Amino acid sequence: MVSDDLWERIEPLLPKRERRFRYPGRKPVPDRQVLCGILFVLHTGIQWQHLSHELGFGSGMTCWRRLRDWNEAGVWQRLHEVLLAELNAAARLDWSRAVVDSSHIRALKGGSRPVDRGRAGSKHHLIADGHGTPLAIILTGGNRNDVTQLMPLLDAIPAVRGRVGRPRRKPDSVFADRGYDHDIYREIRAHQIVPAIARRGTSHGSGLGTYRWVVERTFAWLHGFRRLRVRWERRADIHEALLKLACCLITQRQLRVLCRS
């Protein structure tokens, strides 16, 4: 489940654990096997406590704790930056435009505020480049307005290396739907980014859909991971860790596809 190509990128980023000299206890499950367990949960949507020992991934709580520790150590963020740098070095990141959107999901165990007749929900806010490669993702409550997360998404784009000169973290333009129509245009222009946002109250057919479809496709890829279709985690950091891991897998797939073409 964990390819050699992916493992070669992840292994140097994992924190090293030192065992006690006296009373070291049981030998820990190897990191690669645990990562296989985490990916199994991400792909299938199975509950952590139902992850069987017979699969060879260790217990569900072992995988859960390792996911938590690796997220706190910034492993997924650094892995994403490594993959983006490789795409940038191959000139396969489209900085000419970025596309933002959000997707609402049910939150059966999360602490999200109630929406939709009192039901709890969460939102995935995503910004992708012109090819649909995820640049940054944010988790909020389901009743958070889309426009409030536009600047945080732009600020969350990491400094991407891979080319000669300074690392890049700003696209030339940003495309968005009517949900982002607000006076925030001024803040975007202050960052020397051109906003291309549909206006409220105008008829449909602005033509922006010819550029915005890539982020819809990225959401389809993201929610192809069954664990992300519904928020089962009470803790936001665990769901965010799974989101970032999924973005890394999508970025790795983009690296394989775009660099081959």
Side-chain angles (χ1 to χ4, degrees):
M1 187 172 290
V2 178
S3 65
D4 293 338
D5 186 46
L6 179 62
W7 182 245
E8 287 175 2
R9 293 182 173 94
I10 292 180
E11 187 178 20
L13 305 177
L14 298 179
K16 305 300 180 184
R17 299 185 308 275
E18 295 184 2
R19 298 187 70 195
R20 293 175 298 182
F21 180 74
R22 294 187 63 188
Y23 312 112
R26 287 188 297 178
K27 191 174 181 179
V29 181
D31 288 336
R32 187 166 185 172
Q33 291 178 222
V34 173
L35 181 58
C36 287
I38 294 172
L39 292 179
F40 186 81
V41 171
L42 180 63
H43 281 283
T44 65
I46 191 174
Q47 298 295 311
W48 294 104
Q49 62 269 27
H50 295 158
L51 193 64
S52 174
H53 283 272
E54 297 176 357
L55 295 173
F57 305 143
S59 69
M61 283 310 300
T62 295
C63 296
W64 186 92
R65 291 191 194 100
R66 208 76 64 90
L67 175 67
R68 176 200 61 193
D69 295 342
W70 291 344
N71 186 55
E72 291 176 354
V75 171
W76 312 127
Q77 181 64 32
R78 285 183 288 156
L79 175 62
H80 192 210
E81 292 174 9
V82 167
L83 294 168
L84 288 176
E86 291 186 31
L87 271 173
N88 199 35
R92 289 297 185 267
L93 274 182
D94 186 359
W95 290 104
S96 65
R97 61 179 178 271
V99 193
V100 297
D101 206 350
S102 69
S103 176
H104 182 274
I105 62 167
R106 289 189 301 160
L108 299 184
K109 292 187 178 181
S112 307
R113 296 178 183 178
V115 294
D116 188 17
R117 300 179 184 177
R119 301 174 186 171
S122 293
K123 268 189 178 181
H124 298 159
H125 301 267
L126 176 69
I127 183 167
D129 80 329
H131 295 307
T133 303
L135 298 175
I137 193 164
I138 294 176
L139 174 70
T140 67
N143 61 348
R144 188 68 62 87
N145 196 293
D146 290 349
V147 73
T148 64
Q149 300 306 305
L150 181 53
M151 292 308 300
L153 275 174
L154 289 170
D155 293 337
I157 298 176
V160 181
R161 303 180 183 274
R163 306 297 294 272
V164 176
R166 293 182 179 180
R168 182 162 183 175
R169 60 183 310 166
K170 292 191 303 183
D172 296 331
S173 60
V174 173
F175 288 73
D177 61 18
R178 288 170 175 78
Y180 296 87
D181 184 20
H182 193 265
D183 291 340
I184 203 167
Y185 288 125
R186 300 187 185 93
E187 295 184 44
I188 297 177
R189 289 195 175 96
H191 286 71
Q192 297 180 341
I193 300 174
V194 179
I197 301 176
R199 293 285 187 175
R200 293 180 186 271
T202 60
S203 60
H204 290 272
S206 62
L208 296 180
T210 58
Y211 302 102
R212 288 191 54 257
W213 67 272
V214 293
V215 74
E216 303 289 351
R217 183 186 62 178
T218 305
F219 268 122
W221 289 339
L222 197 66
H223 294 158
F225 299 99
R226 294 187 177 183
R227 188 69 182 188
L228 300 179
R229 296 177 186 175
V230 177
R231 178 178 166 182
W232 293 98
E233 287 73 27
R234 295 182 186 275
R235 291 178 48 166
D237 61 328
I238 301 299
H239 190 76
E240 286 177 340
L242 292 171
L243 277 175
K244 291 177 181 178
L245 176 56
C247 285
C248 291
L249 297 177
I250 293 172
T251 305
Q252 187 206 18
R253 186 190 310 161
Q254 289 286 85
L255 180 64
R256 186 170 60 249
V257 172
L258 295 177
C259 291
R260 184 178 56 193
S261 59

